[in-house]
Each structure stands twice: as structure tokens, then as C-alpha cells.
Amino acid sequence: MSPSETSRDFIPIRIAVLTVSDSRNLEQDRSGAVLVDRIAAAGHSLAARAILPDERHEISDQLRVWIADDAVDVVISTGGTGLTGRDVTVEAHRDVYEKEISAFGTVFTIVSMQKIGTSAVQSRATAGVAGGTYLFALPGSPSACKDAWDEILCKQLDFRHKPCNFVEILPRLDEKLRRK
């Protein structure tokens, strides 16, 4: 971090992790574990963790529960972002978005291209905002979760990161709901 980035105090945020898988349980969830470890190492807190099957309504229902929970600032899901018939996480996320963060998918693709070349086109990583909560949908591989966290999220979820970051505008995400 540059000296200008350390002039602000760190602000821990509360992050929920959702793994979308028809076959994994908590013990087998390597991608969720990668995220949980990185969240803790960064100084943030794990607000909640769940594993759900690739069922659009179950995923969107869980996202809505966490969006409504004042103890959750960010939701990161892993899995279900591919192209197969069972991959419905992106659609479930978009069911709840108020605003999509379009550049997230683009930046994730750029990061992935450096690691896996043109195979990056098969990812549909996405992000958005709903009810004052950030929502990120990552692919289900541990390496994709590492890349997304290490190259994008650890910076954007750190208040000290300049010139701008997601944390500094977090209190304003739901300002339209407070206007009268």
C-alpha cells in the first residue's frame, strides 16, 4: 500500500459467503474456505456462511435475507456462474440487483485472462447493489476466488484504497430509501 493509502484508518466490514453447489458440503467447500480465510486475513468479519443448491429461487431468497440484514454489508457467492443449464447464480443475483456494477465482470475477465487465457470468456462473474448491500458472484473454483479477492475485492473492500473504493460509498448506497 502506498503512503497515501495508509493515511486512513481501516474499516472492517461484514461479509456473508454463499457457496452454490449441488454436490459440496461445508467440509468440501474449498472455494468458500478461500474466501472465509481471506476475509479474516484482511481484518473483515464473516457475517454468515451458507451452501445452497443451484436453484435460482433459493439463491435469490437467501440474497434477499442477507440484503435485509443490517449485520451484512457484502455478500460474496461462489459457484453457478458458468454456462451449463444448472448455472443460475447470475440470474438469481440479477433478480435482486437495484444496480449492476458492470465493470466488475470486465475487470474480473481481465484478471482471469492473465491466468487462464481465453477460457476466461466462460465466466459470467457479476456484481451489483441492492438495499445498501454489495453483491458479488464469483466462479466456483478456488483459484477464481483467489484471483477475485486478491486482485479486486481486497482493494475495493479496503477503505484505505485510493483513489476510491466501495467502502467509502457504502453508507450512501441506500440514500434514495432515506430521502423524503
Side-chain angles (χ1 to χ4, degrees):
M1 232 176 273
S2 73
S4 65
E5 292 172 318
T6 58
S7 64
R8 301 192 215 189
D9 290 333
F10 178 76
I11 298 174
I13 56 175
R14 301 157 301 186
I15 304 172
V17 174
L18 174 62
T19 298
V20 177
S21 175
D22 287 332
S23 59
R24 291 190 199 119
N25 60 35
L26 199 58
E27 295 80 38
Q28 301 163 327
D29 180 19
R30 293 184 14 228
S31 297
V34 162
L35 293 169
V36 168
D37 291 346
R38 279 169 163 68
I39 289 164
H44 299 299
S45 64
L46 181 66
R49 185 173 180 189
I51 297 178
L52 291 176
D54 292 275
E55 295 294 339
R56 184 173 176 170
H57 72 280
E58 289 187 46
I59 298 164
S60 60
D61 287 350
Q62 182 61 65
L63 294 175
R64 285 184 185 96
V65 166
W66 284 338
I67 290 165
D69 187 342
D70 290 338
V72 176
D73 300 312
V74 174
V75 176
I76 304 173
S77 68
T78 175
T81 63
L83 301 172
T84 72
R86 294 289 296 153
D87 291 325
V88 295
T89 301
V90 172
E91 290 74 19
H93 270 249
R94 289 184 174 147
D95 287 344
V96 302
Y97 287 169
E98 293 166 4
K99 294 181 180 182
E100 189 161 359
I101 306 170
S102 304
F104 179 82
T106 303
V107 173
F108 181 80
T109 300
I110 292 167
V111 168
S112 294
M113 281 284 298
Q114 297 170 358
K115 310 279 175 124
I116 63 172
T118 61
S119 294
V121 302
Q122 294 186 32
S123 171
R124 297 184 306 137
T126 186
V129 176
T133 303
Y134 288 111
L135 305 158
F136 301 95
L138 309 179
S141 77
S143 62
C145 290
K146 289 175 188 174
D147 293 344
W149 183 270
D150 296 348
E151 302 295 329
I152 306 168
L153 294 175
C154 76
K155 296 170 179 76
Q156 283 299 301
L157 296 177
D158 189 332
F159 182 67
R160 301 168 295 182
H161 182 76
K162 290 187 179 183
C164 57
N165 60 76
F166 289 140
V167 178
E168 65 191 354
I169 60 173
L170 182 61
R172 296 179 46 215
L173 292 180
D174 64 353
E175 65 190 359
K176 73 174 181 67
L177 301 174
R178 296 187 308 252
R179 278 192 220 138
K180 299 292 179 205

